[in-house]
């Protein structure tokens, strides 16, 4: 298992290009199942989850050709060869459940392993399944698999009990080929939802309201091929903003959509960080002193749960107490214990973390537990005295493209130990 070795104390200076959004690319790749024509997706991030998605889609009958040199992927599914997403793939990437809606819409059948929980929580998919039943599918669960079947999906009114990003995406994709109108209420408003809707519309789908809490889809008989450029990854961008902020750096991010980061920019300004945002670019200026600021994670446009771990690393360097409330997942403080081993002063109290700063962090051997927790440890290592070894960086590799190269290019002393 690869490790990262980081020497702290360097401030980040220069410019870094943000990759395409993993959480846009994954549903976009699943959308290829909805048509027999070719999809060309651009600005694909070359991260491990994308390669897992390739393996899964190939098993279902997709031709998937990456061109890593220009970050594109060509997808074609002339015929669905299998309707089953096997356990070994789903357990490594729960976003595999995103093939459920497209398979159901294209073939009338789907058999997908229950994803099971992960480090950050139980992560049920009950809201996805309830939605499919509303569209007329029969859904049963046995032997750890979800089996869904339906002659032809019929449009329906669906109100999500709670906001779910992939639930919204799954149902929206299924509804594009259903008979009649589907209205999704209490939908997720994340930019990735709007991005996948843009792709579906290019494919001939009739969708209104994506990016708001009510999405209306009028089913069509079939969808065509299309070309689509994936939006920049707002979570990678936020991660770099925080890295620049805590290292008293001056870091410019390019290929980024500042509008997708409003809550992160606002929060960082509250801690004393200066930021210049213009079209396609954000520059962050890390101050000598950081002020504490409380945080509550919320669905978009609130502060993203995927940025909470990174913010906690910053809070350890702020002069004072920061309260962090994690509202979305029930177990998303795994990074706290590792940060404490580096010298952070954090108290956990259920969904709340009380971070007392400023504490001097010292390098240590730490273990990554999930994708964003690993990013938090890298950020802490950048400001810690001495060397930090981050183990199990396969978590990082799932969602960050060439992170150590990007950090090294702006001054970090970081290397990958094979
Ligand atoms: C998406 O996961 C993202 N993944 C996650 O990013 C992100 O953390 C999450 O949205 C929240 O923003 C992808 O887009 C591939 P949810 P998702 O359904 O869709 C509960 C990363 O780091 N819920 O919005 O699985 C659920 O347990 C990953 O890239 C139900 O109870 O999240 C959670 O508490 C991590 N029943 C809350 O809703 C359901 O049927 C939000 O989950 C579905 C969800």
């Amino acid at each position: 298992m690869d490790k990262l070795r980081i020497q702290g104390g360097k401030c980040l200076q220069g410019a870094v290009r943000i990759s395409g959004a993993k959480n846009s690319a994954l549903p976009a790749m699943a959308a290829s199942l909805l048509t027999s024509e070719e999809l060309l997706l651009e600005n694909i991030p070359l991260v491990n989850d994308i390669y897992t998605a390739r393996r899964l889609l190939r098993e279902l009958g997709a031709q998937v050709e990456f061109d890593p040199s220009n970050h594109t992927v060509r997808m074609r599914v002339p015929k669905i060869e299998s309707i089953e997403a096997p356990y070994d793939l789903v357990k490594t990437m729960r976003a595999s459940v995103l093939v459920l809606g497209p398979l159901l819409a294209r073939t009338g059948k789907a058999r997908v392993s229950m994803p099971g929980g992960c480090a950050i929580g139980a992560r049920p998919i009950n809201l996805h399944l309830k939605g499919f039943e509303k569209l007329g599918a029969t859904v049963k669960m046995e032997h750890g698999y979800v089996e869904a079947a339906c002659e032809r999906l019929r449009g329906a009114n669906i109100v999500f009990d709670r906001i779910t990003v992939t639930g919204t995406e799954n149902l929206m994709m299924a509804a594009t080929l259903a008979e009649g109108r589907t209205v999704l209420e209490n939908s997720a408003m994340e930019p990735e939802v709007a991005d996948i809707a843009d792709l579906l519309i290019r494919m001939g789908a009739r969708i209104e309201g994506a990016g708001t809490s009510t999405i209306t889809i009028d089913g069509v008989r079939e969808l065509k091929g299309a070309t689509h450029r994936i939006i920049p990854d707002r979570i990678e961008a936020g991660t770099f903003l925080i890295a620049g902020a805590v290292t008293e750096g001056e870091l410019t991010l390019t290929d980024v959509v500042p509008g997708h980061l409003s809550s992160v920019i606002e929060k960082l300004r509250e801690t004393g960080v200066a930021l210049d945002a213009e079209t396609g670019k954000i520059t962050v200026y890390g101050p000598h002193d950081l002020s504490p600021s409380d945080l509550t994670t919320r669905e978009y446009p609130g502060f993203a749960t995927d940025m909470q771990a990174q913010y906690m690393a910053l809070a350890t360097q702020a002069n004072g107490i920061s309260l962090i409330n994690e509202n979305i997942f029930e177990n998303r403080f795994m990074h706290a214990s590792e940060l404490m081993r580096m010298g952070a002063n954090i108290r956990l109290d259920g969904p709340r973390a009380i971070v007392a700063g400023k504490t001097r962090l010292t390098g240590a051997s730490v273990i990554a537990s999930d994708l964003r927790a690993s990013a938090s440890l890298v950020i802490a290592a950048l400001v810690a005295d001495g060397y930090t070894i981050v183990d199990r960086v396969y978590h990082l590799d799932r969602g960050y493209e060439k992170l150590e190269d990007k950090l090294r290019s702006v001054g970090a002393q970081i290397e990958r130990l094979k």
Side-chain angles (χ1 to χ4, degrees):
M1 266 188 257
D2 290 3
K3 300 180 172 127
L4 288 178
R5 185 171 183 271
I6 300 159
Q7 156 79 28
K10 313 285 175 208
C11 72
L12 303 187
Q13 308 264 346
V16 83
R17 181 192 168 280
I18 298 301
S19 300
K22 160 179 88 81
N23 290 350
S24 230
L26 292 173
M29 289 176 75
S32 64
L33 296 165
L34 289 165
T35 175
S36 57
E37 296 183 13
E38 181 178 87
L39 279 199
L40 173 60
L41 301 175
E42 298 167 338
N43 200 32
I44 290 284
L46 300 177
V47 297
N48 287 354
D49 272 5
I50 297 298
Y51 295 113
T52 305
R54 174 175 63 177
R55 266 174 49 215
L56 169 60
L57 288 161
R58 280 180 170 165
E59 293 216 357
L60 303 177
Q63 296 153 10
V64 185
E65 296 311 323
F66 277 110
D67 178 350
S69 59
N70 59 26
H71 287 77
T72 58
V73 62
R74 281 180 191 284
M75 325 261 313
R76 236 175 100 74
V77 192
K79 184 171 163 300
I80 301 281
E81 305 292 341
S82 154
I83 53 107
E84 175 164 323
Y87 176 62
D88 66 312
L89 281 174
V90 178
K91 80 174 182 308
T92 53
M93 187 185 69
R94 34 172 319 96
S96 308
V97 290
L98 282 165
V99 302
L100 246 172
L103 281 175
L104 204 45
R106 175 94 182 263
T107 69
K109 287 192 300 298
R111 188 168 190 272
V112 174
S113 164
M114 294 291 281
C118 74
I120 62 179
R123 317 261 328 251
I125 59 166
N126 58 312
L127 301 177
H128 300 230
L129 304 181
K130 231 168 89 178
F132 292 131
E133 286 175 329
K134 280 281 183 68
L135 295 179
T138 51
V139 174
K140 64 180 192 300
M141 279 177 271
E142 55 186 21
H143 312 301
Y145 276 78
V146 170
E147 298 194 354
C150 179
E151 267 310 296
R152 181 153 190 238
L153 298 171
R154 281 184 316 283
N157 280 3
I158 296 169
V159 185
F160 289 106
D161 296 352
R162 71 176 288 178
I163 292 171
T164 160
V165 175
T166 50
T168 301
E169 292 164 346
N170 230 341
L171 270 299
M172 182 166 65
M173 286 193 281
T176 59
L177 294 176
E179 197 162 345
R181 171 164 287 192
T182 296
V183 180
L184 303 179
E185 291 186 67
N186 199 26
S187 296
M189 301 195 278
E190 271 67 5
E192 293 76 27
V193 173
D195 197 34
I196 178 77
D198 284 350
L199 164 61
L200 294 168
I201 290 165
R202 281 173 209 270
M203 294 168 67
R206 294 166 54 202
I207 302 173
E208 300 280 333
T212 74
S213 60
T214 301
I215 304 176
T216 304
I217 305 109
D218 288 310
V220 295
R221 288 300 296 170
E222 63 177 15
L223 294 178
K224 309 184 298 298
T227 296
H228 179 69
R229 181 177 177 79
I230 300 293
I231 55 172
D233 192 316
R234 61 194 168 94
I235 306 302
E236 182 194 12
T239 305
F240 275 100
L241 289 181
I242 289 185
V246 294
T247 58
E248 292 187 54
E250 183 173 327
L251 197 55
T252 295
L253 310 188
T254 61
D255 269 4
V256 67
V257 179
H260 291 166
L261 284 136
S262 308
S263 56
V264 171
I265 289 170
E266 178 56 33
K267 181 52 67 183
L268 289 179
R269 282 181 172 145
E270 280 173 23
T271 65
V273 177
L275 297 113
D276 287 342
E278 55 184 284
T279 308
K281 270 168 75 173
I282 307 178
T283 299
V284 58
Y285 305 89
H288 183 64
D289 292 315
L290 285 164
S291 309
S293 177
D294 294 348
L295 176 76
T296 297
T297 62
R298 294 244 182 267
E299 294 88 356
Y300 194 87
F303 192 99
T305 173
D306 290 353
M307 283 296 304
Q308 176 259 108
Q310 300 89 312
Y311 183 78
M312 187 182 285
L314 180 139
T316 69
Q317 300 307 297
N319 298 310
I321 306 268
S322 303
L323 299 190
I324 295 177
N325 297 287
E326 172 52 61
N327 264 343
I328 307 293
F329 289 110
E330 66 268 29
N331 182 33
R332 202 166 196 179
F333 287 140
M334 306 280 275
H335 41 287
S337 49
E338 295 301 289
L339 289 172
M340 284 185 241
R341 294 185 56 248
M342 296 175 73
N345 178 342
I346 304 167
R347 207 157 56 76
L348 298 182
D349 174 24
R352 224 167 54 143
I354 298 108
V355 184
K358 174 172 186 172
T359 50
R360 175 173 168 268
L361 299 183
T362 54
S365 285
V366 291
I367 294 184
S369 55
D370 63 86
L371 170 53
R372 307 305 173 181
S374 345
S376 172
L377 299 177
V378 170
I379 289 167
L382 291 171
V383 293
D385 292 341
Y387 281 106
T388 296
I389 303 281
V390 182
D391 201 351
R392 298 191 190 169
V393 288
Y394 61 84
H395 290 294
L396 262 182
D397 296 338
R398 293 190 50 175
Y400 289 94
E401 181 179 352
K402 297 195 178 63
L403 182 68
E404 71 266 25
D405 298 345
K406 291 188 180 184
L407 284 170
R408 194 179 310 113
S409 74
V410 288
Q413 198 159 338
I414 181 171
E415 59 185 327
R416 180 176 288 253
L417 310 176
K418 288 288 175 195

